[in-house]
């Protein structure tokens, strides 16, 4: 009887650990998507290898993350009700315009530094956790 109880506790602990791991991976993927979108939006529109690389990363995080976060749609009209990826993009871009990251030489802002500041902020972590409601 004790062995059966121990086995049940062990299995339940493993499933909780797997759920925590899946949630952490989903959050990390969404955060990475936000960082790639922030950097992509900060670059000039002209063709470049870096811009294409960031666009590819953004698409990959969006595509690979589609199983981790649901995009809610109205069943009749198919209108999007909530898209965690679009919300993440909106969050990052709104913070980017408000995040000052002046360069020492005084020749503008550092996009990379600003995007990293947003990525590492407690506010972004809190926002990402609000998207847990859209996980399957």
């Amino acid at each position: 009887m004790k062995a059966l109880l121990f086995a049940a506790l062990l299995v339940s602990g493993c499933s909780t650990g797997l759920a925590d791991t899946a949630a952490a991976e989903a959050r990390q993927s969404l955060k990475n998507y936000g960082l790639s979108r922030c950097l992509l939006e900060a670059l000039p529109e002209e063709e470049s290898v870096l811009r294409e690389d960031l666009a590819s990363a953004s698409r990959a995080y969006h595509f690979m993350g589609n199983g981790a976060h649901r995009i809610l749609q109205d069943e009749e009209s198919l209108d999007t009700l909530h898209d965690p990826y679009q919300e993440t993009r909106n969050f990052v871009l709104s913070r980017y315009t408000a995040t000052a990251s002046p360069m020492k030489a005084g020749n503008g802002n550092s996009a990379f530094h600003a995007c990293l500041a947003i990525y590492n902020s407690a506010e972004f972590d809190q926002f990402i956790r609000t998207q847990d409601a859209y996980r399957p």
Side-chain angles (χ1 to χ4, degrees):
M1 182 67 174
K2 287 183 182 179
L4 184 60
L5 180 60
F6 179 71
L9 288 173
L10 185 63
V11 169
S12 68
C14 290
S15 65
T16 301
L18 292 175
D20 290 345
T21 301
E25 288 175 0
R27 289 181 197 127
Q28 188 63 51
S29 180
L30 200 55
K31 276 189 77 170
N32 291 345
Y33 172 77
L35 177 62
S36 66
R37 290 308 307 185
C38 182
L39 292 169
L40 183 61
E41 295 293 328
L43 285 178
E45 294 283 328
E46 63 195 41
E47 288 282 323
S48 72
V49 174
L50 178 59
R51 186 168 181 75
E52 183 54 38
D53 188 48
L54 287 169
S56 294
S58 174
R59 286 189 300 268
Y61 282 119
H62 189 282
F63 177 75
M64 297 301 286
N66 273 336
H69 289 89
R70 291 176 286 137
I71 298 173
L72 297 182
Q73 289 183 302
D74 182 274
E75 291 182 18
E76 293 179 16
S77 67
L78 297 180
D79 290 335
T80 300
L81 302 175
H82 184 84
D83 181 348
Y85 301 96
Q86 184 63 42
E87 294 299 319
T88 299
R89 181 175 182 248
N90 293 345
F91 178 91
V92 168
L93 296 183
S94 71
R95 296 314 182 274
Y96 179 77
T97 58
T99 302
S101 183
M103 299 298 293
K104 185 175 180 180
N107 59 354
N109 286 338
S110 168
F112 186 65
H113 186 268
C115 290
L116 278 179
I118 295 164
Y119 179 84
N120 289 312
S121 71
E123 185 181 21
F124 191 38
D125 285 338
Q126 290 170 344
F127 167 79
I128 292 295
R129 286 186 177 276
T130 66
Q131 301 308 301
D132 283 357
Y134 303 96
R135 292 195 56 247

